[in-house]
Amino acid sequence: RNVKVEGSRFNGREPDEHRYDIETGPLDSTALRLSWNPTRELSLQASWAGLKEPEQLAPGEDQTKWSASGIYTKRLADDGWWSTTLAWGRRSAEHDKLDAFVLESAVHQGPWTLFGRAEKTENNELVSEGGHHGPTFDVGKVSVGAIRDFEVAPNVKLGLGALYAFNFVPEPLEALYAGDPRGAMAFVRLKI
């Protein structure tokens, strides 16, 4: 009733640059997930995946991925809700173990949704050295935003949104951000 175990076998390789065809290959990668909903408001999951040579730039290099997350969602008034997610993930290949963390929260009331997100990740793909992964950097981002939904038909909503973000980058990467770690984005969302 409130526990689910999932498993899959798949080809975990990156697709080539021709994204319009179907990639084939052996089903040599595996993923497992355990989900548990101890209460109506709380959902927990943990997963593991073993990928066989997933990256074209690193032939012969397998990866292991782990994740764990918790989502708490609570109803507010008639049509509102508040939801918060805390998640962790790890990607391991050869001797690298790269972790990522995220905390995000959103509040929805009436036609408005307000949201915020904070994330930190270890990444060795930001700077390449001779076609290989470079040094590992800790990078992060904090963003806040809002979405306003408009009902355009029964069960169809058009959302107009915007967000503001601040990136945290180490000094060696600051030049790549042109000295300005801030960013903004406007977007449109269609919900059917």
Side-chain angles (χ1 to χ4, degrees):
R1 294 174 53 95
N2 61 354
V3 174
K4 181 170 35 172
V5 177
E6 301 167 87
S8 63
R9 289 286 288 175
F10 56 97
N11 181 319
R13 287 167 189 76
E14 284 183 340
D16 60 22
E17 65 275 6
H18 305 291
R19 301 298 171 107
Y20 49 81
D21 60 348
I22 297 174
E23 302 293 327
T24 60
L27 303 179
D28 55 7
S29 297
T30 305
L32 301 171
R33 179 185 0 241
L34 174 65
S35 304
W36 178 40
N37 299 330
T39 69
R40 185 175 177 176
E41 295 85 14
L42 183 62
S43 180
L44 306 171
Q45 75 84 35
S47 66
W48 167 89
L51 288 87
K52 193 83 169 156
E53 300 182 45
E55 294 194 35
Q56 288 184 3
L57 296 178
E61 187 176 297
D62 298 342
Q63 287 185 8
T64 302
K65 295 183 178 185
W66 293 89
S67 78
S69 65
I71 302 172
Y72 180 82
T73 302
K74 184 168 181 62
R75 287 253 168 233
L76 303 175
D78 293 334
D79 66 343
W81 50 260
W82 163 56
S83 186
T84 297
T85 300
L86 177 62
W88 161 82
R90 170 174 282 175
R91 179 176 51 124
S92 302
E94 296 206 353
H95 301 296
D96 290 329
K97 289 186 171 87
L98 305 172
D99 291 313
F101 301 90
V102 65
L103 173 64
E104 64 182 17
S105 193
V107 176
H108 174 80
Q109 190 67 54
W112 287 96
T113 302
L114 305 176
F115 60 89
R117 178 181 173 106
E119 55 191 289
K120 176 192 172 288
T121 184
E122 297 172 329
N123 195 318
N124 64 359
E125 297 177 354
L126 300 173
V127 178
S128 69
E129 294 180 344
H132 300 288
H133 293 160
T136 298
F137 294 102
D138 286 341
V139 295
K141 179 187 259 186
V142 173
S143 55
V144 294
I147 304 169
R148 169 62 160 94
D149 286 320
F150 299 92
E151 189 166 338
V152 294
N155 298 316
V156 179
K157 291 182 181 178
L158 178 70
L160 302 177
L163 70 80
Y164 177 81
F166 189 87
N167 297 291
F168 298 93
V169 297
E171 191 174 319
L173 295 178
E174 285 179 356
L176 297 174
Y177 286 82
D180 191 354
R182 298 169 297 167
M185 176 176 67
F187 57 91
V188 177
R189 175 180 75 181
L190 184 65
K191 289 173 66 175
I192 299 175

